[in-house]
Amino acid sequence: MAEEQMVTFSLGTEEFGVDIMKVQEIIRIPPITRVPKAKSYVEGVINLRGIVIPIVNLRTRFGMPSAVETDLSRIIVLQIEGKVFGIMVDSVAEVLRLNDDAIEPPPPIALGMDANFIRGVGKIGERLLILLKLDQIIGGDAQHEQTA
Amino acid sequence: MGIDLDDFLEFYLLDSQEQIERLGAGLLDLERSGENISLINDLFRSAHSLKGASGTMGFTPIVELTHAAEDLLDKLRQGKMSVTNDIIDVLLAVTDKVKLMLGQVEKRMNITVDFFDLKSQMKMLTETGALAETAPAGANSAPVNRVTHNENIINIKEIINNDINQRKTEVKKAVDFKLLTEEQEKVCDALSVGKYVYRIDVRLSQNTMMKAVRAVMVIQRLEQLGDVVKITPTVEELESNEDNEFYILYSTNEAPEDIQSDVLEVSDIDEAMVSYFVSEEAETMKISDLEDTAVENLTPTENGTAQVKVEDAAAEKMIVPMNASRAGDVSTTDGQKEGSNQVHTIRVDTARMDNLINLVGEMVITRTRLVKIGQDLQAVNPSEPLVANLNESNMYLGRLMSDLQESVMRLRMVPIGTVFSRYPRLVRDFCRKTGKKIDLVIKGEETELDKTVIELIGDPLTHIIRNSVDHGIETPEERLAIGKPEAGTITLNAYHEGNHIAIIVSDDGGGLNLEKIYEKALAKGLISKKEELSEKDIANLVFLPGFSTADQVTDISGRGVGMDVVKKTITSLGGMIDIRTEKGQGTSMVIMLPLTLAIIQALLVGVGEETYAVPLSSVLETLLVKRNEFKAVGGIPMVQLRGNTLPLISLKDKFDLTEHEQLNEEVYIVVVGLGDKSIGIIVDELLGQQEVVIKSLGEFLNGIPGIAGATILGDGKVTLILDIASLIQDILISR
């Protein structure tokens, strides 16, 4: 039985999961340099040990109201097809395993968010975990459709 | 399957491309210098090794083409034909075709380039050439010039040659000395100071006890008169294996027969054969063809030894195959250069190198932080000795870092000759087409530049040179009519000037027709009659985008075609281009480029809470201006600066920085300029100047107007670098 390992995090009351293989590291929020004229969801750029990487504010990206940074706020650094970027989240929760059969396709209207970002919904008992389609988060334009 | 075929292919491609470049350049030289026998010989060798390598890899079309070319060159080499324009044309066409083929190989495609025409052309040339020469031409009688020493080497006495080669193959076992870099160097050094390098084959008597001891004794003897470079098998191996033979690589001034007798004095040695050492590459390149030259055409002193060699060879005691290295100085250095180049350079994936540069940049930044910590500590606790210690170490680290940084940056530096080398062909082809006569003079090709810059500067230079050839240089008749030499000269020169490199393309042609340019610009509405323009201003009009449509410019002697693109490329590299022209005397394009793109001097400025870096190369000056001196013209604020109006740009507006604006009475203005355009950038603070390492913003954030990249300052925070060109363009277009 195939299973996936997920890093889960939260934005407001929602819980999300990303494939652990795509996660390079999780860091506290360093000073962020704003980039003028960049897309609104791009919070800015940070220095990750000498590499300048863009940071996506996931709240803005998903059209959620912005929130104040707290001690729990983190940046999850993701690496997708060799490209590195970070997503800003309210807090990182845990790492868990999810069986394939616990993953359902995204509901047509997924929690008011753009369904393009959602790969599926994972069920862990009563908890619902929104699994993100990461290549859609930055760059915006629809890339090749994944048949997950 | 230990080795990936792809690796071989990469090597094959790199080498073949090098070989074909060499062939192309050599052909042009040959055209210029006529019957230069040593050059023809080089060309033959290039074609030959290209053929060999392609054969090994199984690329038959390349083999067939190069084989035909080789035949043709062989005819030239033997003096059975003389160099004609036709031959050069055909052979250049071969290099083009092979380049295309290699291109297909590189893309892992099948070779589909058609080459049969070319092949039959070459065949015809080869055959008709042979027919023209009735004498069966033993190279002895071939009408080859043998005036200079180095030309001697290609005189081939085939009979003797073959004879010697035969004996060589009979007697000599292939021994792979597997030279290490330093050993190779030793060989090169020895040859370069005029020593001989011998290979000595020593056979021990059957059942010799303590073979290693004998070997050591031989070595000891030899060491008295020269240097033993290598012994194979090693003394240790000799002791433990069954072999009765060992081989020594030896450099000395002594004659072979002396060495031989010396070695034979050691007991238990049956036989010692002394021959000139030829590296494997040299042999495959058929340098062996040259050996007999030594027999016939050596200077008196060498002649003596040469005679000895042949006699000895005949006596079969000592084999003297040719020694290309010895026979002629020119071929010595050539052959050795090839060998040594292979060992002295390595090819490195650029990604790895960039990573190294990146890491060094990172260390520079980290050191800046350490320095800051040191300073802060000192402020808090000035009497603490540890702090002084730290600061001292920081200083030392600083020196190390700048050395390291410089060394690493040098890795990226490539001589500009790699770009320049493509122009002789360009000019030559053009001359053949138009009947113009042009000498291309190239200077400073060893000047080094950042690889990225080199890659990008090629096309603009091509453009400029093509313009010079096309519009600049007059026809031979025109030139003679006005008392100029028939052949025009285009000079390509590169040299360092401070932190920049200057590349100058100048011609002695007709110069720009400034009146016509002025009129065209007026007609196109690019300038107005009211504007007072100096000659220089007018010349610079050719860089305006509107000036670049072909039809109106080619009929004047101008260089309008695409010059705006040229200028754009150069400014995007942080460089500048300038025109100097004088009617009837010629035109020079002066290009100034920064040495490297990776590190720049920047002026840090504060705007609200943000810090930006302005490349210092475009900063002209800074001003402190009272706000009430601003004047709005067409919605854009301006100030008067020495009689000119300077348009201003507010980064706060431009970048939508919403921070509360403190309306200071006075503001700083950074005047930046590119070419003849300048604007002022309004900033809150000037924070000083600093060397910064340029980092890419990555593909997600590329192409943001006004931002050229990012850098990381001492505090670890990312700072954006302004793109002056786009800021200027922006404001001047919106005007």
Side-chain angles (χ1 to χ4, degrees), chain A residues 16 41 58-64 106-120 130-133 136-137 140-142 145:
Chain A
F16 297 82
Y41 59 79
L58 268 199
R59 281 178 167 268
T60 322
R61 187 63 168 134
F62 295 159
M64 301 163 78
I109 300 159
L111 312 145
M113 283 175 9
D114 190 336
N116 270 342
F117 299 131
I118 300 174
R119 212 184 90 203
I130 304 168
L131 307 182
L132 288 180
K133 205 189 267 180
Q136 296 292 328
I137 288 178
D141 304 51
E145 277 287 314

Side-chain angles (χ1 to χ4, degrees), chain A residues 31-39 42 44-55 83-85 138-139, chain B residues 358 362 369 610 612 653-656 695-701 704-705 707 710-712 716-720:
Chain A
I32 297 180
T33 302
R34 281 168 216 292
V35 180
K37 306 280 180 192
K39 295 219 166 68
V42 174
V45 289
I46 64 162
N47 164 23
L48 182 74
R49 290 187 305 283
I51 304 164
V52 178
I53 65 167
I55 302 299
K83 291 161 210 148
V84 180
F85 66 97
I138 197 162
Chain B
N358 193 29
E362 198 48 24
R369 297 174 77 166
E610 306 289 331
Y612 293 104
D653 297 344
K654 172 83 186 142
F655 289 163
D656 301 329
K695 310 225 169 216
S696 151
L697 273 177
E699 66 184 87
F700 296 126
L701 295 177
I704 290 183
I707 304 294
T711 187
I712 299 168
K717 205 182 165 192
V718 180
T719 294
L720 301 178

Side-chain angles (χ1 to χ4, degrees), chain B residues 276-307:
Chain B
Y276 289 85
F277 172 67
V278 189
S279 67
E280 290 303 310
E281 302 102 284
E283 276 198 319
T284 48
M285 282 180 190
K286 274 202 180 169
I287 298 180
S288 53
D289 293 351
L290 320 176
E291 68 195 55
D292 49 317
T293 334
V295 179
E296 200 179 58
N297 286 308
L298 289 181
T299 52
T301 46
E302 281 166 315
N303 207 8
T305 42
Q307 288 304 340

Side-chain angles (χ1 to χ4, degrees), chain B residues 636-637 647-649 679-680 726-735:
Chain B
I636 292 178
L648 300 178
I649 188 169
I679 60 165
S726 87
L727 287 176
I728 289 181
Q729 205 177 13
D730 199 60
I731 192 165
L732 292 182
I733 283 172
S734 66
R735 178 158 68 150

